[in-house]
Amino acid sequence: MSDPTRPISSDPTLSPPGHEMTEGERRALEMVEAAETGGRKLFGWQALLVTLLAVAWCLYQIYAAQVGNVDTVTLRATHLGFAFALAYLVFPFRKTPGRPQTRVPWFDWILGIGATLTAVYLIRQYPDIANIQGGVLTSTDVWVGSAMIVLLLLTAWRTIGIAMPIVSMVFMLYALTGPRGLIRGDLGPQLQLHAGQTWPQVVGQLFANTEGIFGTGLGVSAQIVFLFVLFGAVFDKLGAGDWFMNVAQGLLGGFRGGPAKASVLSSALNGIISGSAISNVVTGGHITIGTMKRVGYSAEKAGAIEVASSSNGQLMPPVMGAAAFIMAQNLNIDYRALILAAAIPAFLCYGALLVVTHIEALKLGLKGLPKSELPRVRQTLLSGWYYLIPLGYLLGTLTLNPEATPERIALNTVYMMLAMMVIQEVVLGRKDGRSMGQGAVDGLKKIVQAFEGAARSMVGIAIATAAAGIIVGIVTITGLGFGLADIVEGVAGIFTNPFVKMLVVLFMAQLITLVLGMGLPTTANYILMSALIVPIIVKVAGLDTGNPAELLPAHMFVFYFGIMADSTPPVALAAFAAAAISGGNPVATGIQAFQYELRTALLAYMMFFNPQLLLIQDGRLGGVPFWDAAFMVVFAFIGLVAFSAATLRFLHRRTNPVQMILLLVASIILIIPTHIMYNLGALALIAVVYFWQKAGSRAEPPSGLPAAA
């Protein structure tokens, strides 16, 4: 008899667990490994060295969180030192698809050791720099700091791509070149620039200062993000990711276009524990993409739905990727307040994506999968109910216990899951005929594998936050952000209407965030945008810089568009990974995914103009009464549905141009759903389109579409 918890039938196109990996899935997996965990396939003592370093890094982070009093610079420099060491061991400079490197070349040994020693030097020397030298660097300090900056840029190049090093070098060059008048006249005042910095001054700011490389971004990575990434790695190794997939397939797989809906739900559940879009694509996509193609979605649409749902996983509390932790630090608010504020938009985003999949299923006349091929929900839930224990503890304590810090909660959850992993292997071992001792050993092996996976995943995050610190440090010493604000304010000043002026500024911020985000990971993109673009939005909007509740919508705006950049062609690495699995065209997959993601763009505008969606009212967080929040959520969701129907050109049937315009107008009105008459007018427009289409469908059934299931 078949296992009721298996995700799908044994049809080879569905890619169930245990099947032989297809070439597309293998390419996608290699893409993820190369991008997130390093592409080298080492053997022997070199592989053992990587494992030992990874485990040592995890144990150090656990120790630091446990004792809670490790010196700030020591913690951050040690964190970066481990990242340097692993980066040069597992991330090759040249990546050849299908031909992974199996050894570390001699020059990577030299660069890796050199980079790690610069971090060690700072750990030993920083007390003297701060307390004895008064912050003045010696010539040796300058040389070591210069080496760290160069090696950090080289490390960033190989781990997160060329974009961040180029942007960082442009900023450093700007700091060294002194004043340059860029804009004057009708568009605004002359840009007020700095007087110029010497190279030792730049090195001092970036290397020996907590406002540069070792700033807030790297600090959050070392103090909080690592523990949540470790939590996700251990939770996934425990088997929770597959269980989420099975539950989603069992609940939604039988509905119209069910595999796409299951993809959305499983990605949302995986987003609770993982902030990585690309790995979510591969983790769930090897099953969901095949099932979507089977029921009738094209390769590009199947891949695009997986990309959109996986990218939005970064919006789901409590993990939300590293950027959310940094946002909480930037705003100086408690992390639990941030995740509560972000919860409603996240659910709205996924709810609207479910509508998108349903509209696509209606357009294509699709059905769901036969119930006989779906997991039995009750048995599936019973087979993994215990996965909810650590997840429930994490979510419950984060939201209900104001005394506990996020890092302490994550650490306790990791402890809980490590014990569960050993117990699970012992119990399963007894069923498989293994001894209790062998089961315990197997559990420890899985722990080591989870530790290695977490450490390798953290390399890119640590390097990205450190490299972004270069940009933040330069902005701090040059005052560049204020100059850019003057320029944008001057351009927007052409418009006299305050609402239109604000729309222009937000649209410019949107374009900048999307363009830079195509070459940067979400975390680095957010750090850069929070330093450059958010101050511009804040200045033009006249927000109170001392009130985090007023600043949060601006930060969430750039955060949402940074996430959209993951599916924005021509880069869109997540789309390339999905296309490798689906066999579709990667650019077409990215374009289709971007179309699905347009509802995320509308939601970003909704949050900015209607902060009640973030539970903000009267300038404070959490001040929205329940019925007011419910009112906002309902009308925001209706607006997102109308917008999705307009962009997909389909509601009850294919829309004509007039119907599409009516839906767009309704969705724009509902960006700020505060005036009851406007709300009713928007609903009336949607109703007109719906009944117009219903009347047309009765008169003439849609041609070329199968009957509805």
Side-chain angles (χ1 to χ4, degrees):
M1 191 172 76
S2 63
D3 182 357
T5 65
R6 283 189 65 176
I8 284 300
S9 75
S10 58
D11 189 318
T13 64
L14 304 182
S15 304
H19 80 297
E20 184 176 349
M21 187 178 293
T22 67
E23 183 61 30
E25 292 169 359
R26 187 175 294 107
R27 289 199 309 271
L29 183 60
E30 289 174 355
M31 193 178 301
V32 172
E33 290 177 344
E36 299 199 349
T37 62
R40 283 202 178 113
K41 302 287 187 182
L42 301 178
F43 300 95
W45 68 270
Q46 292 185 351
L48 178 61
L49 177 61
V50 169
T51 301
L52 291 175
L53 279 172
V55 172
W57 192 5
C58 291
L59 293 177
Y60 174 79
Q61 298 287 166
I62 290 173
Y63 162 78
Q66 181 67 47
V67 300
N69 60 356
V70 177
D71 174 72
T72 298
V73 173
T74 299
L75 175 62
R76 296 177 184 183
T78 305
H79 186 72
L80 183 59
F82 274 112
F84 274 147
L86 282 174
Y88 283 95
L89 287 174
V90 301
F91 284 86
F93 185 73
R94 293 182 180 274
K95 303 174 181 66
T96 306
R99 295 176 56 189
Q101 295 184 15
T102 56
R103 65 180 183 85
V104 182
W106 63 269
F107 50 85
D108 275 358
W109 285 108
I110 294 174
L111 293 174
I113 293 171
T116 306
L117 288 178
T118 62
V120 173
Y121 177 90
L122 183 66
I123 295 171
R124 294 178 58 87
Q125 197 65 22
Y126 187 78
D128 289 347
I129 294 174
N131 302 321
I132 299 176
Q133 301 168 206
V136 178
L137 303 187
T138 66
S139 59
T140 303
D141 297 336
V142 173
W143 277 106
V144 175
S146 301
M148 173 178 280
I149 293 170
V150 172
L151 290 168
L152 175 59
L153 294 176
L154 289 174
T155 311
W157 189 351
R158 68 172 57 211
T159 55
I160 61 175
I162 189 61
M164 178 62 84
I166 289 177
V167 174
S168 300
M169 287 189 289
V170 169
F171 273 73
M172 287 191 291
L173 181 62
Y174 167 74
L176 295 170
T177 54
R180 297 287 187 274
L182 298 180
I183 292 183
R184 64 169 71 239
D186 294 337
L187 294 182
Q190 179 178 350
L191 182 60
Q192 300 297 314
L193 300 184
H194 64 103
Q197 307 290 325
T198 65
W199 179 247
Q201 288 175 319
V202 171
V203 173
Q205 173 72 11
L206 302 182
F207 172 68
N209 193 310
T210 54
E211 294 181 343
I213 292 172
F214 299 96
T216 300
L218 187 63
V220 173
S221 175
Q223 184 178 355
I224 303 176
V225 175
F226 192 104
L227 294 171
F228 276 88
V229 170
L230 181 60
F231 154 73
V234 176
F235 200 48
D236 186 63
K237 201 67 180 177
L238 199 60
D242 290 338
W243 184 69
F244 282 155
M245 175 64 68
N246 294 342
V247 171
Q249 291 280 10
L251 288 173
L252 299 178
F255 288 92
R256 183 191 293 272
K261 294 180 172 69
S263 170
V264 173
L265 178 58
S266 64
S267 293
L269 293 172
N270 276 321
I272 294 174
I273 61 174
S274 170
S276 170
I278 303 172
S279 63
N280 281 355
V281 166
V282 176
T283 301
H286 80 284
I287 295 175
T288 60
I289 289 175
T291 58
M292 282 188 274
K293 288 176 63 178
R294 178 184 171 190
V295 297
Y297 289 98
S298 67
E300 287 74 21
K301 287 184 184 293
I305 289 171
E306 182 61 44
V307 169
S309 57
S310 295
S311 297
N312 288 165
Q314 298 173 86
L315 306 177
M316 285 295 292
V319 178
M320 296 177 64
F325 297 100
I326 298 171
M327 188 188 304
Q329 292 286 325
N330 287 342
L331 294 170
N332 194 26
I333 61 175
D334 190 75
Y335 186 68
R336 61 179 45 82
L338 177 63
I339 62 175
L340 288 174
I344 289 177
F347 288 120
L348 279 173
C349 196
Y350 269 107
L353 186 55
L354 282 173
V355 172
V356 166
T357 63
H358 188 70
I359 290 174
E360 286 287 19
L362 287 173
K363 285 173 66 175
L364 299 171
L366 305 182
K367 297 182 180 181
L369 289 167
K371 288 187 178 181
S372 60
E373 297 181 355
L374 295 172
R376 299 172 192 170
V377 176
R378 182 174 178 275
Q379 290 180 312
T380 301
L381 288 171
L382 290 175
S383 70
W385 64 268
Y386 54 90
Y387 295 134
L388 298 177
I389 296 175
L391 187 59
Y393 169 80
L394 179 75
L395 294 174
T397 313
L398 267 176
T399 54
L400 301 176
N401 186 357
E403 304 298 325
T405 61
E407 57 267 31
R408 185 71 222 188
I409 296 169
L411 180 63
N412 290 342
T413 310
V414 169
Y415 286 153
M416 185 186 305
M417 290 190 300
L418 294 179
M420 288 177 62
M421 188 171 289
V422 175
I423 294 172
Q424 178 178 263
E425 285 303 308
V426 169
V427 172
L428 291 177
R430 296 295 296 270
K431 294 180 179 179
D432 297 340
R434 290 175 287 167
S435 66
M436 182 178 296
Q438 184 60 49
V441 169
D442 292 341
L444 293 174
K445 288 180 180 178
K446 280 197 169 185
I447 290 174
V448 171
Q449 292 169 359
F451 277 15
E452 182 172 350
R456 291 174 71 133
S457 296
M458 272 304 303
V459 171
I461 297 174
I463 297 301
T465 52
I470 294 176
I471 297 168
V472 175
I474 297 299
V475 170
T476 301
I477 61 173
T478 61
L480 177 62
F482 298 107
L484 288 175
D486 288 338
I487 293 176
V488 175
E489 190 174 27
V491 173
I494 298 174
F495 304 92
T496 56
N497 184 287
F499 180 73
V500 175
K501 180 178 179 179
M502 196 67 247
L503 277 179
V504 171
V505 172
L506 291 177
F507 185 71
M508 293 170 65
Q510 165 190 332
L511 291 180
I512 294 171
T513 306
L514 285 175
V515 170
L516 288 178
M518 285 190 288
L520 297 176
T522 303
T523 302
N525 189 22
Y526 167 72
I527 294 173
L528 180 56
M529 294 302 102
S530 65
L532 290 177
I533 303 303
V534 169
I536 297 173
I537 298 174
V538 168
K539 183 176 181 181
V540 175
L543 303 178
D544 181 2
T545 56
N547 186 348
E550 288 198 21
L551 301 179
L552 178 58
H555 283 263
M556 291 294 287
F557 184 87
V558 298
F559 177 55
Y560 266 52
F561 277 103
I563 288 172
M564 278 189 66
D566 280 342
S567 55
T568 304
V571 181
L573 188 56
F576 276 81
I581 298 174
S582 70
N585 182 289
V587 175
T589 300
I591 293 172
Q592 184 67 69
F594 184 77
Q595 184 182 17
Y596 294 152
E597 285 281 56
L598 287 175
R599 83 208 182 285
T600 308
L602 181 69
L603 184 57
Y605 282 91
M606 284 181 169
M607 286 187 297
F608 185 84
F609 288 110
N610 179 27
Q612 285 185 312
L613 288 174
L614 294 168
L615 301 179
I616 298 170
Q617 185 162 291
D618 299 327
R620 62 190 181 93
L621 286 167
V624 182
F626 173 79
W627 290 111
D628 287 353
F631 174 83
M632 294 296 169
V633 168
V634 169
F635 280 100
F637 182 71
I638 293 172
L640 290 170
V641 170
F643 185 75
S644 299
T647 54
L648 294 174
R649 298 289 305 275
F650 197 95
L651 184 59
H652 180 69
R653 57 183 295 165
R654 186 170 296 279
T655 61
N656 60 40
V658 175
Q659 294 168 347
M660 183 184 70
I661 292 172
L662 292 177
L663 290 172
L664 283 176
V665 170
S667 63
I668 292 171
I669 292 173
L670 292 174
I671 288 179
I672 315 177
T674 53
H675 196 290
I676 187 64
M677 295 305 296
Y678 290 162
N679 297 340
L680 293 177
L683 293 180
L685 291 176
I686 297 171
V688 165
V689 174
Y690 179 77
F691 287 111
W692 184 355
Q693 293 201 338
K694 286 284 286 185
S697 64
R698 284 195 295 268
E700 181 183 351
S703 60
L705 293 180

